[in-house]
Amino acid sequence: MVAEIVGLSGSISRPSRTRALVEIAVGRPAERYGRRPVVLELGDMASSLGAAARLRDLDAPALAAVERMLGADALVLASPVYKGGYAGLFKHLLDLLDPLALVGKPVLLAATGGGARHALVIEHQLRPLLGFFEAQTLATGIYACDADFRDGGIASERLLDRLDRAVGQFAPFLGDALVRSRDEAEIGVWSA
């Protein structure tokens, strides 16, 4: 099995600011820790997910996406903010998971919204939700609003700095591949 960092964009919109955030939030740690970046979109699972009462009710592609999430070395979970909370279909997906499915898994929490007033959705809703699953949520959450984007991409250096701080918090769980590789090269150790 290939080591992966999987991100879930909890938006059903296309194009999506949540997707843009997830792409960069998965890409940076994947590069740093030597993992394959994978981005999944809730919209790709929406029709199957909306009709599912149990995980086994999902169609094959949706079930494969969930299994990929569960098998990942680390996760980035991001939801757009609707009416002051995370997306309903995003929550429904998590409702289908076994309560022990995410125990100990490192998770970077992220959200997008129209303005800064929704930034606490990470602390007041997403973090307690993942606490139920006993996931290891990173201390730094990433919230991005309209002002952080330009032409569909992230334009805020402040946001990118915060993201880099969060990426560093994966180190206890994933090891620091760049530092390890450099140290091994200095002492002449080869690793596969």
Side-chain angles (χ1 to χ4, degrees):
M1 177 188 264
V2 175
E4 297 178 331
I5 296 178
V6 174
L8 174 67
S9 171
S11 176
I12 58 172
S13 299
R14 291 200 177 125
S16 164
R17 290 175 297 132
T18 306
R19 163 87 188 206
L21 178 59
V22 169
E23 285 175 351
I24 196 163
V26 167
R28 286 187 175 206
E31 182 178 339
R32 177 170 176 174
Y33 300 108
R35 304 305 202 274
R36 178 188 299 167
V38 175
V39 177
L40 304 172
E41 291 194 62
L42 193 66
D44 293 339
M45 299 180 245
S47 61
S48 176
L49 186 56
R54 291 169 302 282
L55 201 57
R56 68 178 179 263
D57 295 336
L58 294 174
D59 63 21
L63 187 56
V66 171
E67 289 171 352
R68 198 161 194 184
M69 280 177 44
L70 298 178
D73 293 337
L75 293 174
V76 174
L77 297 179
S79 174
V81 177
Y82 295 117
K83 311 285 192 242
Y86 44 71
L89 205 52
F90 174 86
K91 172 64 163 64
H92 181 61
L93 173 61
L94 295 179
D95 286 341
L96 297 178
L97 300 182
D98 182 282
L100 301 176
L102 301 175
V103 171
K105 189 170 298 286
V107 179
L108 170 58
L109 300 173
T112 58
R117 69 184 181 276
H118 295 301
L120 288 176
V121 72
I122 293 171
E123 299 307 319
H124 291 276
Q125 294 183 24
L126 289 173
R127 196 171 303 281
L129 176 61
L130 273 291
F132 167 80
F133 286 100
E134 298 181 45
Q136 295 294 313
T137 57
L138 303 184
T140 301
I142 306 299
Y143 177 80
C145 65
D146 288 348
D148 294 317
F149 293 89
R150 187 172 18 262
D151 299 323
I154 295 176
S156 168
E157 286 301 318
R158 175 195 55 80
L159 180 66
L160 294 173
D161 288 345
R162 185 170 177 84
L163 178 57
D164 286 339
R165 187 165 61 250
V167 166
Q169 294 166 5
F170 274 126
F173 306 101
L174 303 177
D176 200 325
L178 292 180
V179 171
R180 187 172 48 250
S181 296
R182 185 175 51 245
D183 289 347
E184 289 170 353
E186 288 175 5
I187 59 172
V189 176
W190 180 84
S191 62

